[in-house]
């Protein structure tokens, strides 16, 4: 009895302390329906815009998913990715890790629709998160309930991009530890790479597996097909030469990716490593066999990623234009 009340008492004090700490640091928690009072239609507007854009340019939905990864992995989910180079600060978009990213201009379309209805209210960071959620659903992926209340950074973190986003040919143990450091386990990492079930890879990230000799982990017939897509060992980085991640269902966020890599039809070295690494292979097999399981794990991991170290409360700001910090 005495121990119980002691536990209760100390839990209570701890709770009080953490509330006080939050108050003084100006930090608070992300929450469901953060905009319910300030902009009740915020989530609906984002969904409408994502849907409209998807019907005009299907690959916008693909971009929203990659945006979340590249924004949230670097420091925090704070829309730092979206900042343009200005005042001597170079944009994260300029990193070689951001190669091939596209459709940024349509983020402004979504932001404008929100500014029309609720000026200075909805952050660009929440647009990054919610557009990825809605993009995934448009592509036949799972629908995720996401918390909101993220604020936008006042700076970009170009120097952190290379240490936070793995390269296409990094080892699986490096990839796993990178995701581990933001709270995503092996199973979650395997599921997140399933995003490579949609979209494309430029030849510059493929040719080293084709020339001068074909990578032995590639299916030989598939390698011939890829050589057709990428006929030169020295692709011009400015040419739009690419292969689709998934020839079967290129615009569906499904488990075809795992079936493809199991038959040695992964495009990137990291994709193929999921099969050769004994830590990841059991999850690959399970995801290849069960699309529902893939979707569950993908949702769980994407939500964790979307909640990585957000700016909240009076940290950061709500950018008026997602490309630039507000003028003070
Ligand atoms: C080890 C981790 C990862 C590496 C090394 C990696 C690397 C890459 C590379 C090299 C490309 C092709 C870029 C190009 O040539 O155009 C790509 C595309 C893509 N990645 Fe990843 N990626 C990783 C994880 C993720 C994660 C976690 C997500 C999202 C949850 C993601 C989403 C995408 C999407 C959607 C595309 C297609 C983009 C488009 O078609 O516009 N990737 N990734
Ligand atoms: C990985 O690819 C980069 C180019 O993207 C290259 O500079 C580097 O040497 C490659 N590393 C390995 C281990 O192959």
């Amino acid at each position: 009895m005495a121990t119980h009340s002691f536990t209760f008492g100390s839990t209570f004090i701890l709770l009080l302390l953490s509330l006080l700490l939050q108050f003084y640091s100006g930090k608070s928690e992300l929450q469901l329906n953060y905009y319910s009072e300030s902009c009740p239609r915020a989530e609906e507007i984002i969904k409408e815009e994502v849907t409209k854009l998807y019907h005009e340019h299907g690959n916008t939905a693909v971009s929203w998913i990659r945006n979340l990864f590249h924004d949230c992995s670097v420091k925090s989910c704070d829309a730092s990715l979206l900042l343009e180079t200005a005042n001597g600060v170079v944009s994260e978009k300029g990193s070689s890790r951001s190669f091939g990213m596209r459709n940024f201009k349509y983020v402004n379309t979504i932001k404008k629709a929100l500014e029309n209805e609720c000026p200075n209210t909805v952050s660009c960071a929440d647009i990054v998160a919610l557009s990825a959620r809605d993009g995934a659903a448009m592509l036949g992926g799972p629908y995720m309930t996401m918390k909101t209340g993220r604020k936008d950074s006042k700076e970009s973190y170009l120097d952190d991009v290379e240490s936070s986003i793995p390269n296409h040919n990094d080892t699986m143990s490096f990839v796993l530890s990178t995701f581990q450091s933001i709270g995503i386990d092996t199973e979650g990492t395997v599921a997140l790479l399933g995003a490579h079930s949609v979209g494309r890879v430029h030849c510059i990230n493929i040719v080293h597996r084709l020339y001068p000799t074909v990578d032995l982990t590639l299916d030989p017939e598939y390698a011939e097909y890829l050589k057709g897509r990428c006929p030169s060992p020295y692709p011009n980085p400015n040419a739009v030469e690419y292969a689709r991640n998934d020839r079967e269902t290129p615009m569906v966020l499904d488990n075809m990716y795992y079936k493809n890599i199991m038959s040695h039809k992964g495009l990137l070295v990291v994709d193929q490593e999921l099969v050769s690494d004994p830590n990841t292979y059991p999850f690959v097999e399970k995801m290849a066999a069960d699309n529902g399981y893939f979707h569950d794990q993908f949702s769980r991991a994407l939500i964790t990623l979307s909640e990585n170290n957000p700016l909240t409360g009076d940290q950061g700001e709500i950018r008026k234009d997602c490309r630039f910090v507000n003028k003070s």
Side-chain angles (χ1 to χ4, degrees):
M1 199 58 214
T3 347
H4 271 125
S5 59
F6 173 75
T7 318
F8 177 77
S10 48
T11 309
F12 184 75
I13 289 171
L14 273 175
L15 226 117
L16 209 76
L17 267 173
S18 73
L19 273 173
L20 272 171
L21 213 75
Q22 271 183 26
F23 180 75
Y24 282 115
S25 66
K27 226 178 140 58
S28 59
E29 300 283 319
L30 297 178
Q31 59 191 72
L32 292 174
N33 296 311
Y34 176 82
Y35 298 108
S36 60
E37 309 268 298
S38 60
C39 189
R41 282 201 348 105
E43 297 200 22
E44 222 173 303
I45 292 171
I46 294 174
K47 188 173 172 197
E48 283 166 12
E49 294 302 314
V50 166
T51 307
K52 256 193 272 172
L53 288 166
Y54 170 81
H55 290 301
E56 287 164 27
H57 317 275
N59 51 42
T60 49
V62 172
S63 297
W64 307 149
I65 300 173
R66 194 176 181 206
N67 280 1
L68 187 149
F69 169 47
H70 282 246
D71 186 39
C72 296
S73 293
V74 178
K75 212 93 164 181
S76 127
C77 265
D78 57 4
S80 61
L81 168 72
L82 301 177
L83 289 172
E84 296 287 347
T85 297
N87 305 322
V89 179
V90 183
S91 171
E92 292 173 23
K93 295 188 261 183
S95 164
S96 65
R97 293 290 198 278
S98 312
F99 183 81
M101 294 188 85
R102 50 180 163 166
N103 292 317
F104 288 115
K105 65 179 174 194
Y106 297 116
V107 176
N108 306 326
T109 309
I110 302 175
K111 177 65 167 167
K112 272 199 195 110
L114 290 162
E115 288 298 302
N116 278 341
E117 182 142 329
C118 326
N120 308 314
T121 308
V122 182
S123 69
C124 298
D126 279 335
I127 295 175
V128 168
L130 294 175
S131 63
R133 178 265 295 272
D134 294 327
M138 290 305 306
L139 295 166
Y143 183 79
M144 293 159 262
T145 305
M146 267 187 187
K147 293 179 179 170
T148 41
R150 296 167 189 80
K151 294 288 158 62
D152 301 327
S153 74
K154 295 181 184 173
E155 52 192 313
S156 74
Y157 305 101
L158 178 70
D159 291 346
D160 292 351
V161 175
E162 293 207 357
S163 54
S164 310
I165 308 258
N167 209 351
H168 59 93
N169 55 3
D170 276 329
T171 64
M172 191 43 60
S173 63
F174 179 80
V175 170
L176 291 175
S177 67
T178 307
F179 281 95
Q180 189 87 58
S181 71
I182 53 171
I184 296 172
D185 57 16
T186 302
E187 193 173 20
T189 305
V190 175
L192 281 180
L193 273 157
H196 291 169
S197 157
V198 293
R200 63 180 178 178
V201 174
H202 285 82
C203 292
I204 199 163
N205 287 317
I206 306 174
V207 284
H208 64 106
R209 300 187 70 200
L210 304 173
Y211 307 102
T213 52
V214 171
D215 183 333
L216 289 174
T217 62
L218 263 183
D219 171 82
E221 255 174 58
Y222 191 62
E224 280 314 305
Y225 160 76
L226 290 177
K227 280 182 167 174
R229 297 291 309 175
C230 305
S232 159
Y234 308 107
N236 173 352
N238 300 316
V240 191
E241 277 185 330
Y242 65 88
R244 284 185 140 179
N245 264 316
D246 174 0
R247 280 168 84 191
E248 256 71 42
T249 54
M251 291 299 282
V252 187
L253 186 59
D254 61 4
N255 65 343
M256 190 63 75
Y257 169 76
Y258 302 98
K259 297 178 193 173
N260 285 336
I261 59 179
M262 282 175 74
S263 41
H264 299 277
K265 294 175 182 166
L267 290 184
L268 303 176
V269 170
V270 285
D271 296 325
Q272 204 54 56
E273 280 174 332
L274 289 179
V275 168
S276 49
D277 190 310
N279 295 305
T280 49
Y281 186 64
F283 299 121
V284 170
E285 257 188 319
K286 257 176 96 176
M287 288 179 202
D290 184 347
N291 198 47
Y293 164 71
F294 160 55
H295 280 174
D296 289 346
Q297 292 302 319
F298 183 83
S299 304
R300 183 178 66 89
L302 199 82
I303 287 169
T304 305
L305 186 56
S306 80
E307 294 175 5
N308 180 35
N309 194 29
L311 301 174
T312 56
D314 58 17
Q315 299 176 311
E317 63 179 12
I318 290 164
R319 266 179 234 150
K320 186 85 188 155
D321 180 327
C322 294
R323 296 168 298 175
F324 306 104
V325 296
N326 293 340
K327 292 186 191 79
S328 46

